[in-house]
Structures are given as structure tokens and as C-alpha cells.
């Protein structure tokens, strides 16, 4: 993988290994979409596009490059080499977290600049979120969403993804049941509930994520490249190439307040 230009940097193999391990681990703690989406790939950095079927026609759509840069200061690098002081990789971890948030933002919100469609924009059904903090409104709304999917022959596993404020609303005991609203909904959909900070407030998505409905195409999976030096410091980039393929719009029901 010479395009990463790692041999041009002064980092040792052990330091590169530490960066790879820490960036991937940090991204995994943040990524929500990958917890339920099927992954197609990695196809490799040289694959620029993937086949997408839209309105019955097949076309190739470019994968989106997502990245975040960071810098390691020359003093830290020199101390690690000369004084045998452990390196800190907080800058690399922060860049990985930022890239992971960009991935989830692309998956859920899309990208207006490139025209990439996210789950919110591509949903076949959008409904008003009404008083999910009262009575059985949240449970009833999700139940109606399941019925919509069934009517449109959308089968398979289900998950509910919410904004943090909605997730908090669901952590209340349903009157007369002694059970959390979130637990009742999980039992109803026979799946998990996730929260994502990239979603706008008062937002929830009921998703049928099986591969016949959608998947996440990965060209180059999350990795770090060397960019060069500036002011004696060394610059790096955490990046990946991905594309959401929403094959069945009826596999997403959006609720917004």
C-alpha cells in the first residue's frame, strides 16, 4: 500500500501498529451504522464506485471519501526515540472519532454537496412524532411502522435508531406495566435500539437493515496515511471510502417531531 506513503515517515513499525490499533478501536466505539448494516467489501482503495439500482436502472455511484487530519509534533517524536518515552496518540484517536462521525452523518443524513442520499432523505415513509413521552404513543408509532413495512413486503430484522433526546424519553417505565418503554419496543421489533449524536433532535428511524434492503459498501476501510512534514512536525490523514446503498426505501420509516 505505497499510496499511504508510510515509508516516507519516521515512524517505526511498532508506532504504525499502535496508530492502526488505536484509530480502529476508537472508531468502533462511535460508529452506529456499522452495528446493524451489512457490509459489502472492503473492495480496496482503487475501487472508485459501486453499482446501484435506482428506479429499476443500474448505475455506478462514486464512493465517498471521508477523512480527518492530525499532526504529531517533532518534540514528541524525538522524545519517544531518544528518551524512550511512550508516544501519545490522542490526536490520531480524535481524527478517527471525527471520521467515524462523518461516516454516520453520511449514512443517516446524506451529503447535499455530493447528492449522496442518507436514510433520512431516502425513507419511503415519514411520520410526525407525537408525544413519545406520553402514554403508549412511542410503542404505537413503532407498531404502525412495522405494519407499514409488512404491507410493503419489507421483511427481515428490525432496529430503531434515535436521537439522544428520544432515547432518553424511552428510558421511562410504562404506566401499568412496570417495564421500560425501550424494553417493550425492543420486544416488539425483536431487535435493538441505538442512539446516534448525528441525528437531529426529536428523530427516530425504524430500519429493516438486511442486505436485500440496504448495505454499506466499503472501498478502503478506515486507515491512516502519511501526508508529509510541515514546520518539522509530521502530518497524517485518517480516511476511508464508503457508500450507502438503500435498495428498498420502504425499509426505513422516519419519525420526526
Amino acid at each position: 500500500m505505497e499510496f499511504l506513503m508510510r515509508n516516507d515517515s519516521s515512524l517505526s513499525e511498532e508506532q504504525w501498529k499502535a496508530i492502526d490499533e488505536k484509530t480502529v478501536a476508537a472508531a468502533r466505539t462511535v460508529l452506529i451504522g456499522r452495528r446493524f448494516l451489512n457490509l459489502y467489501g472492503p473492495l480496496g482503495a482503487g475501487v472508485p464506485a459501486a453499482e446501484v439500482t435506482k428506479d429499476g436502472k443500474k448505475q455506478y455511484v462514486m464512493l465517498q471519501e471521508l477523512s480527518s487530519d492530525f499532526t504529531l509534533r517533532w518534540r514528541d517524536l524525538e522524545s519517544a526515540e531518544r528518551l524512550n518515552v511512550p508516544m501519545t496518540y490522542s490526536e490520531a484517536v480524535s481524527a478517527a472519532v471525527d471520521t467515524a462521525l462523518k461516516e454516520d452523518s453520511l449514512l443517516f443524513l446524506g451529503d447535499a454537496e455530493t447528492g449522496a442520499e442518507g436514510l433520512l432523505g431516502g425513507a419511503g415513509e415519514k411520520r410526525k412524532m407525537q408525544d413519545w413521552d406520553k402514554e403508549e404513543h412511542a410503542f404505537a408509532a413503532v407498531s404502525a411502522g412495522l405494519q407499514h413495512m409488512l404491507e410493503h413486503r419489507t421483511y427481515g430484522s428490525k432496529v430503531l435508531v434515535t436521537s439522544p433526546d428520544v432515547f432518553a424519553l424511552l428510558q421511562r417505565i410504562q404506566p401499568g406495566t412496570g417495564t421500560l418503554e425501550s424494553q417493550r419496543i425492543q420486544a416488539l421489533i425483536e431487535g435493538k435500539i441505538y442512539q446516534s449524536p448525528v441525528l437531529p433532535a426529536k428523530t427516530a428511524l425504524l430500519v429493516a437493515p438486511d442486505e436485500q434492503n440496504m448495505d454499506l459498501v466499503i472501498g478502503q476501510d478506515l486507515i491512516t496515511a502519511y501526508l508529509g512534514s510541515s514546520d518539522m512536525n509530521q502530518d497524517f490523514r485518517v480516511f476511508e471510502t464508503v457508500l450507502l446503498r438503500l435498495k428498498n426505501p420502504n425499509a426505513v420509516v422516519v419519525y420526526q417531531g
Side-chain angles (χ1 to χ4, degrees), residues 25-222:
R28 284 176 176 169
T29 64
V30 176
L31 291 167
I32 299 299
R34 291 201 190 199
R35 299 186 188 184
F36 59 85
L37 286 171
N38 284 274
L39 305 183
Y40 182 73
L43 304 177
V47 177
E51 187 178 81
V52 175
T53 300
K54 190 170 185 178
D55 299 327
K57 298 180 180 180
K58 292 185 177 181
Q59 56 184 317
Y60 280 90
V61 177
M62 296 295 294
L63 275 65
Q64 301 291 304
E65 181 178 336
L66 308 175
S67 65
S68 184
D69 297 346
F70 67 94
T71 298
L72 296 180
R73 296 180 300 176
W74 71 268
R75 286 186 177 180
D76 295 333
L77 294 168
E78 189 68 11
S79 296
E81 180 179 356
R82 301 296 182 186
L83 304 178
N84 198 29
V85 176
M87 278 286 297
T88 60
Y89 298 101
S90 57
E91 295 89 349
V93 169
S94 295
V97 169
D98 184 60
T99 305
L101 289 172
K102 289 178 180 178
E103 177 180 310
D104 274 349
S105 181
L106 178 68
L107 297 182
F108 292 116
L109 308 180
D111 183 2
E113 184 175 338
T114 62
E117 200 168 53
L119 294 178
L120 276 178
E125 181 74 1
K126 297 185 179 181
R127 302 187 175 199
K128 179 72 173 178
M129 179 181 289
Q130 295 182 332
D131 299 327
W132 275 33
D133 59 337
K134 299 177 181 178
E135 301 178 359
E136 295 187 341
H137 292 171
F139 185 88
V142 174
S143 180
L146 289 174
Q147 183 62 32
H148 168 82
M149 289 184 176
L150 186 61
E151 291 172 354
H152 288 81
R153 299 183 180 181
T154 300
Y155 308 112
S157 62
K158 310 291 190 301
V159 299
L160 185 71
V161 188
T162 74
S163 53
D165 61 321
V166 174
F167 187 85
L169 290 178
L170 300 180
Q171 308 313 308
R172 64 186 181 89
I173 296 179
Q174 180 67 45
T177 68
T179 304
L180 291 176
E181 185 79 341
S182 59
Q183 292 176 325
R184 293 190 68 206
I185 292 175
Q186 285 179 323
L188 174 66
I189 66 176
E190 298 181 344
K192 294 184 177 181
I193 300 177
Y194 300 97
Q195 60 174 323
S196 173
V198 306
L199 289 177
K202 297 183 180 180
T203 300
L205 300 89
L206 179 63
V207 182
D210 289 357
E211 62 181 325
Q212 72 270 22
N213 297 320
M214 63 188 71
D215 61 18
L216 176 63
V217 180
I218 300 175
Q220 173 60 60
D221 210 350
L222 191 84

